[in-house]
């Protein structure tokens, strides 16, 4: 088989697998732009892992697939086209790579299998009330006591904490040194006594994020990543991986197609011609941008796989995709807003969201505002880019 | 170390074209009289023909180099990075594509005996005679012929004895306005629709290559200016509003580079249309912001950056602007 025939066969194989093995009720949620949580992601992760496809982004010896960039791209693309949940969760894409790079043999043996088969669910405890963009100012304190650390403090914006088993977190272990040099990375089971999780409702009326209060929480020192006070290095390595999430633009393309269908359906007929054409034009502009970002994403995946430094790529990708996806959300809002924004929530209190057709587009629009805020805001990314460009 | 753009197609071809274009831009920048500028462009164009650039895509049998699209793109990238004010895409890509299979004419093109301007819109044919008006047609300094597309047919019009008005575009390139009434022309191909569309797309693609290269240099020059210029007792480069603006210009440039590379790797009409569409948006943004952050200097004709900005602005209007590309994509 020549190269292209082989890739076409691979594409068909992935599609066949996705359509026969990804549970239809999960795909229905993705197709309807529903909110995804552990109950959608974890079973799908287990199914992929059982088939040997649990971790395409990991090195082969840790359960990776050994695919080249083209196969990985096809894999992401086909999964998105088939409305499978994007293979993106904190275990697989964030803490997994950190464990592989910096974890002890015992930690790898303990944690990697649960990430691969979807049994352990993870969340990220970085941000705090006083430490957002300026993450290094974090205050949650960990004090060594025998074989444990005792942790006190508060995390904020912790996505998925309500459904996670574990939280990887950055804590302060030294207050005497430069801020970045007194930070340690700990892995904390959320079932530990002294942890309280409180929901923070977001403007889309869904439950994404939480406050996590830690009061005299005892964490075994064996749950520390790498060395004490070196957590900033591991934490930044992880954030670079997080921003590379933008390298998979396939779900964004799928989102664009769904929005295109919405515009065609919602704005059919001559009375809507001007609005429809304007929205179609804006969709094309967004598609062009996503196509550009797709190439940057391929280059970034190539660089990761070849072990080359990523340079500005994570920031470029974030800045090249985050507001594009927001713009697509805004196009959908323009298509349905007049009809459904007025019916966001029933006042009689029957459930968090109204059962109104297309209401999820309004929720999506609201949620997508976070794209330029989390994972290092766009302003912070621009600071990073400018520093490099100006050499100062 | 401040930013230096990385070429998409690095190598000797890029370097040579870049050096030539930089030297040419310096000479042209000193001249203001239209006639003197046209004369300088004529000298530069003679050098380009001497270097054999027109034959890059032409088969060896016709005196060409039998090169690939990427060979030509490397030339265009080098030339574009300094805003060479000559009709590279038209002569080196569009003309040989239109003339494919016409060996004698291709040989003339390579040898400089045929120096055509390309008229893709505006004229109609009836019984071998051309009529109509085509304005702002990019042209070599001394055009011998016009290669004219009328719908599906391709004609060669000898310009000897035909009068035309000549102008300079916003990017300093030469154009002509052609008005003919029943001018006799040679029918080259009656069924050239596919070839004409392909030629136009390759023109658009090379325009994107030139423009993205110009954007890289423009961003580099903008950064250099902001580092050097002092106001409020500090380099302008220290002000976050300006730093963010430049970061946005850079991301727009990188994103467009991705699209252009994809179109070079697989030059389908859709890939080219998306790149050209995005050039309309990203190019306009980068050009406008480069002028803005240069302040009053950005408004001056002399400033190399303002020349590059005008080149990038102009590029949108070559071979179909963003709305033309959008209309094609939406109709498909
Ligand atoms: C939906 C959602 C999910 C999240 N999930 C998680 C999670 O799972 N785990 C986690 O740890 N965190 C999470 N976060 C937190 C997120 O990373 C922070 O919100 C982000 O880092 C910004 O911090 P902040 O909210 O404190 O804003 P601030 O830092 O207070 O910033 C406010 C505004 O000022 C701008 N700004 C800040 N500094 C500068 C500067 N130097 N120059 C210019 N502008 C600046 C910012 O861009 C922003 O626009 C989540 C946030 C959201 C909204």
């Amino acid at each position: 088989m020549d190269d292209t025939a082989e890739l076409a066969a691979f594409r068909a194989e992935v599609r066949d697998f996705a359509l026969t093995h990804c549970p239809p009720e999960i795909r229905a949620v993705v197709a309807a732009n529903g909110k995804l949580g552990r109950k959608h992601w974890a079973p799908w992760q287990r199914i992929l892992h059982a088939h040997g496809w649990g971790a395409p982004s990991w090195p082969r010896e840790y359960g990776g697939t050994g695919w080249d960039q083209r196969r990985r791209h096809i894999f992401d693309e086909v999964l998105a086209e088939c409305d499978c949940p994007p293979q993106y969760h904190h275990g697989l894409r964030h803490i997994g790579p950190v464990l592989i790079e910096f974890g002890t043999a015992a930690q790898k043996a303990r944690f990697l299998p649960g990430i691969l088969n979807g049994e352990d669910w993870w969340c990220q405890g970085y941000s705090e009330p006083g430490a957002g963009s300026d993450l290094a100012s974090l205050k949650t304190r960990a004090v060594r006591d025998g074989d444990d650390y005792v942790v006190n403090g508060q995390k904020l914006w912790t996505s998925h904490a309500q459904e996670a088993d574990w939280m990887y977190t950055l804590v302060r272990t030294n207050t005497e040194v430069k801020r970045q040099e007194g930070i340690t990375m700990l892995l904390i089971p959320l079932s530990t006594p002294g942890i309280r999780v409180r929901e923070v409702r977001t403007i889309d009326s869904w439950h994404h994020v939480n406050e996590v209060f830690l009061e005299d929480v005892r964490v075994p020192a064996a749950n520390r990543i790498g060395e004490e006070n070196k957590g900033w290095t591991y934490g930044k390595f992880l954030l670079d991986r997080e921003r590379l999430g933008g390298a998979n633009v396939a779900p964004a393309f799928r989102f664009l197609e769904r929005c295109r269908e919405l515009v065609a359906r919602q704005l059919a007929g001559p009375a809507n011609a001007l609005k429809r054409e304007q929205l179609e034009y804006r969709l094309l502009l967004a598609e062009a941008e996503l196509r550009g970002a797709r190439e940057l994403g391929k280059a970034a995946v190539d660089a990761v796989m070849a072990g080359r430094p990523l340079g500005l790529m994570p920031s470029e990708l974030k800045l090249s995709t985050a507001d594009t996806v927001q713009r697509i959300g805004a196009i959908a809002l323009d298509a349905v807003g007049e009809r459904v924004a007025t019916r966001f929530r029933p006042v009689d209190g029957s459930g968090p969201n109204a059962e109104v057709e297309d209401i999820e587009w309004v929720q999506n629009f609201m949620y997508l505002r976070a794209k330029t805020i989390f994972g290092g805001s766009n302003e912070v990314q621009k600071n990073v880019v400018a520093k490099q460009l100006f050499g100062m | 170390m401040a930013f230096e753009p990385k070429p998409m197609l690095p190598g000797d071809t890029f370097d040579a074209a870049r050096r030539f274009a930089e030297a040419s831009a310096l000479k042209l920048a000193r001249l203001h009289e239209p006639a003197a500028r046209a004369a300088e462009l004529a000298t530069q164009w003679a050098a380009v023909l001497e270097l054999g650039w027109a034959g890059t895509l032409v088969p060896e049998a016709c005196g060409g180099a039998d090169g690939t699209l990427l060979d030509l793109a490397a030339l265009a990238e080098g030339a574009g990075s300094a805003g060479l004010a000559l009709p590279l895409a038209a002569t080196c890509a569009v003309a040989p594509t239109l003339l494919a299979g016409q060996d004698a004419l291709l040989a003339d093109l390579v040898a400089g005996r045929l120096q055509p301007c390309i008229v893709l819109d505006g004229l109609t044919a009836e019984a071998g005679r051309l009529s109509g008006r085509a304005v702002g047609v990019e042209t070599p300094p001394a055009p011998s012929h016009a290669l004219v597309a009328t719908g599906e047919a391709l004609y060669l019009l000898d310009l000897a004895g035909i009068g035309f008005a000549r102008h300079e575009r916003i990017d300093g390139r030469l154009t002509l306005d052609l008005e003919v009434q029943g001018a006799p022309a040679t029918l080259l191909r009656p069924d050239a629709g596919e070839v004409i569309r392909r030629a136009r797309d390759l023109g658009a693609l090379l325009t994107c290559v030139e423009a993205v290269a110009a954007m890289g240099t423009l961003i580099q020059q903008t950064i250099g200016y902001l580092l050097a210029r002092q106001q409020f007792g500090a380099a302008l480069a220290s002000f976050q509003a300006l730093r963010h603006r430049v970061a946005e210009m850079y991301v727009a440039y990188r994103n467009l580079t991705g699209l252009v590379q994809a179109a070079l790797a697989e030059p389908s009409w859709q890939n080219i249309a998306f790149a050209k569409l995005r050039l309309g948006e990203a190019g306009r943004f980068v050009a406008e912001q480069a002028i803005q952050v240069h302040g009053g200097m950005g408004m001056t004709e002399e400033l190399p950056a303002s020349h590059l900005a005008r080149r990038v602005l102009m590029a949108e209007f070559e071979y179909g602007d963003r709305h033309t590309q959008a209309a094609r994509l939406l109709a498909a």
Side-chain angles (χ1 to χ4, degrees), chain A residues 353-366:
Chain A
N353 300 124
E355 294 285 320
V356 175
E357 201 192 346
D358 296 325
I359 193 76
E360 66 279 2
W361 289 104
V362 180
Q363 291 167 327
N364 279 329
F365 169 82
M366 303 278 188

Side-chain angles (χ1 to χ4, degrees), chain A residues 42-53:
Chain A
W44 178 223
Q45 175 62 27
R46 189 182 61 242
I47 293 165
L48 284 170
H49 174 60
H51 193 68
W53 290 351

Side-chain angles (χ1 to χ4, degrees), chain B residues 42-309:
Chain B
T43 310
Q44 292 177 14
W45 186 239
V48 163
L49 293 179
E50 189 63 34
L51 287 165
W53 291 7
T56 307
L57 293 184
V58 174
E60 265 172 44
C62 306
D66 212 2
T68 64
L69 178 61
L70 291 185
D71 296 328
L72 183 56
L75 275 180
E77 192 182 14
S81 72
L84 186 67
L86 292 168
L88 274 198
T91 300
C92 308
V94 181
T97 305
L98 291 173
L99 294 173
Q102 314 253 359
D103 287 1
L105 288 175
L106 282 172
D108 286 349
L109 180 75
V110 176
R113 290 184 295 270
L114 171 66
Q115 296 198 27
C117 61
I118 315 281
V119 180
L120 296 177
D121 304 287
L123 301 192
T124 54
E126 213 184 300
R129 290 174 178 271
L130 299 176
S131 302
R133 201 164 112 83
V135 296
V137 178
E138 189 186 14
T139 178
S144 64
H145 292 76
L147 266 171
V148 180
T150 62
E152 302 290 301
L154 182 68
Y155 289 87
L156 186 66
L157 173 68
D158 192 338
L159 290 178
I162 294 185
F164 45 80
R166 287 156 61 89
H167 296 274
E168 221 184 85
R169 301 198 314 203
I170 57 174
D171 60 356
R173 293 195 189 183
L174 300 173
T175 65
L176 55 80
D177 291 354
L178 192 63
E179 191 161 2
V180 286
Q181 210 34 261
T186 314
L187 176 65
L188 296 180
R189 290 177 73 156
D191 55 346
E194 263 319 300
V195 172
I196 292 165
R197 281 185 283 280
R198 186 72 196 145
R200 199 194 285 265
D201 282 336
L202 288 181
L205 175 55
L206 286 161
T207 301
C208 287
V209 171
E210 283 185 46
V212 87
M215 284 161 70
T217 313
L218 182 55
I219 292 171
Q220 182 181 25
Q221 292 179 354
T222 302
I223 288 170
Y225 184 79
L226 295 177
L227 284 167
R229 169 80 173 160
Q230 301 268 326
Q231 286 291 281
F232 301 99
L236 287 181
S238 64
F239 297 114
Q240 194 187 47
L242 301 178
R243 295 169 68 86
H244 280 195
R245 199 73 56 79
V246 170
E248 288 159 13
M249 291 162 69
Y250 170 77
V251 171
Y253 154 74
R254 289 282 298 154
N255 184 284
L256 177 62
T257 304
L259 280 164
V260 175
Q261 280 177 315
L264 284 171
E266 198 198 323
S268 64
W269 78 260
Q270 286 92 340
N271 278 351
I272 295 171
F274 272 113
K276 195 72 186 10
L277 174 69
R278 181 91 190 107
L279 169 62
E281 292 284 308
R284 180 77 60 87
F285 174 73
V286 168
E288 286 176 348
Q289 298 310 322
I291 294 169
Q292 173 67 19
V293 307
H294 273 85
M297 282 304 290
M299 295 298 296
T300 59
E301 186 145 60
E302 252 101 310
L303 186 78
S306 80
H307 171 68
L308 286 172

Side-chain angles (χ1 to χ4, degrees), chain A residues 124-127 132-133 157-159 209 370 373-375 377 379 383, chain B residues 240:
Chain A
Q124 175 185 69
Y126 276 18
S127 307
S133 300
W157 312 121
T158 321
S159 306
V209 296
I373 298 171
F374 58 41
S377 74
E379 287 75 20
N383 287 346
Chain B
Q240 194 187 47

